[in-house]
Amino acid sequence: MIEYTQDEKYMLLALDEAKKAESEDEVPVGAIVVRNGEIVATAYNTREYGKNALYHAEIKAIDEACKKLGGWRLVGCTMYVTLEPCPMCAGAIVNARIERVVYGAPDHKAGAFGTMLNLTDYPLFKPEIVSGVLKDDCAKILSDFFKKKR
C-alpha cells in the first residue's frame, strides 16, 4: 500500500479536478484551496467552455474560497495546483494572501513561481512555495492531453 504525505493527498484531489477539465477538452489543470485541513474550494480550467481568459483553475478556486470564507484575504490557506501558476494566477495568489502554494509540474512557458520568473522576488506578499509534488503525474496528464491534440 502506498503511503502518501498530506501534500500528496491534496495534490491527488487537484489531479481529480484536472481530470474533470480533461474530460471537457480543457487544458487539464486543477486546483484546490485548503484551510485547517478542510477543503474550502475546488476548481479546474474552463477557459474554452467559458470563453474567458480568467477561467484558470487557480482564479476560480480563489473566487470560490473568498465567497465561502467571506473575505478576500485567504489567510491560513494553502493552494494545491497541478501546474505552476502563470503570472496572472500568481498575482491573484499573492493578492489573496494565500500563505502556501504547492504545485506539481513546472510551467516552462509561463511559470511565475520560479521557472520563468519568480513573483516572490518582488517586494510583495510572499507565500511559501513547494514545487514538484507528484510532479510526474501532474506533467503526464498535461503531456498526454497535448499529444492527443496534435
Side-chain angles (χ1 to χ4, degrees), residues 65-85:
C66 289
K67 288 174 181 169
K68 183 169 184 181
L69 298 175
W72 65 268
R73 291 178 190 89
L74 299 179
V75 176
C77 290
T78 297
M79 175 176 281
Y80 293 86
V81 59
T82 57
L83 181 64
E84 180 182 2

Side-chain angles (χ1 to χ4, degrees), residues 5 19 29 33 38 42 72 80 86 104 115 118 126 128 145:
T5 67
K19 290 173 188 169
V29 177
V33 176
E38 178 189 352
T42 62
W72 65 268
Y80 293 86
C86 70
T115 301
N118 195 343
K126 295 181 186 333
E128 174 190 351
F145 174 81

Side-chain angles (χ1 to χ4, degrees), residues 110-145:
F113 279 138
T115 301
M116 289 302 294
L117 65 104
N118 195 343
L119 209 59
T120 63
D121 287 343
Y122 298 92
L124 304 166
F125 177 83
K126 295 181 186 333
E128 174 190 351
I129 307 298
V130 178
S131 63
V133 174
L134 299 182
K135 174 184 172 181
D136 294 341
D137 296 326
C138 292
K140 184 174 180 356
I141 192 171
L142 286 159
S143 62
D144 288 352
F145 174 81

Side-chain angles (χ1 to χ4, degrees), residues 57-68:
E58 300 96 322
I59 300 293
K60 292 174 60 188
I62 288 169
D63 184 53
E64 182 181 326
C66 289
K67 288 174 181 169
K68 183 169 184 181

Side-chain angles (χ1 to χ4, degrees), residues 4-24:
Y4 289 107
T5 67
Q6 184 174 12
D7 283 347
E8 290 170 335
K9 288 176 187 176
Y10 286 125
M11 188 62 74
L12 286 169
L13 296 174
L15 275 164
D16 287 343
E17 291 298 307
K19 290 173 188 169
K20 292 176 187 177
E22 181 181 39
S23 74
E24 295 178 14

